[in-house]
Amino acid sequence: MGVAALAAEQVGGAARCLESAVQYAKQRHQFGRPIGSFQAIKHKLADVLLQVESARSAAYQACAAPAGELAVYAAIAGSYCTEAYLSAAGESIQIHGGIGVTWEHDAHRYFKRATSDAQLFGPPQAHRARLARSIL
């Protein structure tokens, strides 16, 4: 199913956003120390890591689901992976600061891709509605 494949692509994009943000937080210094040492940045990155790894599990399960259960697992992955990618891309831009929205950096491209992916097979709310109908 296309939703499961898109979920896997979204996990890859979210992971790349996280990787880029962590790398930048290690090298960007403010007040004489890396911004990654500040608690607010640590918490943002930890939250994104949790979302990315949870999305990865949902995407793996959707791709490995038997045919009879594919619709349910695809709906779960479609909902969660879309939100994780949007969140990771948004937080990446926040951590990068002003450079994240310039043409010189790729962060804005990931955000645009996450936004367009969110509409490709329907927004997360549509996946959750489909999941609710299949359970009831």
Side-chain angles (χ1 to χ4, degrees), residues 7-87:
E9 186 254 323
Q10 290 171 325
V11 168
R16 178 64 187 118
C17 289
L18 175 62
E19 179 184 317
S20 175
V22 168
Q23 183 181 26
Y24 185 77
K26 288 179 180 179
Q27 61 186 177
R28 171 79 166 106
H29 283 71
Q30 191 67 39
F31 307 113
R33 53 193 250 208
I35 64 168
S37 67
F38 296 115
Q39 188 175 17
I41 301 296
K42 287 179 185 179
H43 285 199
K44 279 183 184 285
L45 292 172
D47 289 344
V48 172
L49 176 64
L50 179 65
Q51 291 173 335
V52 169
E53 292 304 318
S54 298
R56 187 183 317 274
S57 296
Y60 283 165
Q61 187 62 39
C63 291
E69 298 174 5
L70 180 60
V72 171
Y73 287 110
I76 293 169
S79 173
Y80 195 83
C81 294
T82 298
E83 289 180 341
Y85 192 15
L86 285 167
S87 177

Side-chain angles (χ1 to χ4, degrees), residues 84-131:
Y85 192 15
L86 285 167
S87 177
E91 293 296 348
S92 177
I93 287 175
Q94 289 294 313
I95 290 168
H96 279 90
I99 196 170
V101 292
T102 64
W103 289 105
E104 288 83 26
H105 201 276
D106 291 337
H108 70 94
R109 291 186 187 138
Y110 283 99
F111 187 76
K112 289 175 186 175
R113 181 62 183 246
T115 304
S116 64
D117 281 358
Q119 301 305 315
L120 189 58
F121 290 113
Q125 298 85 352
H127 294 296
R128 287 193 289 272
R130 193 175 71 226
L131 179 63

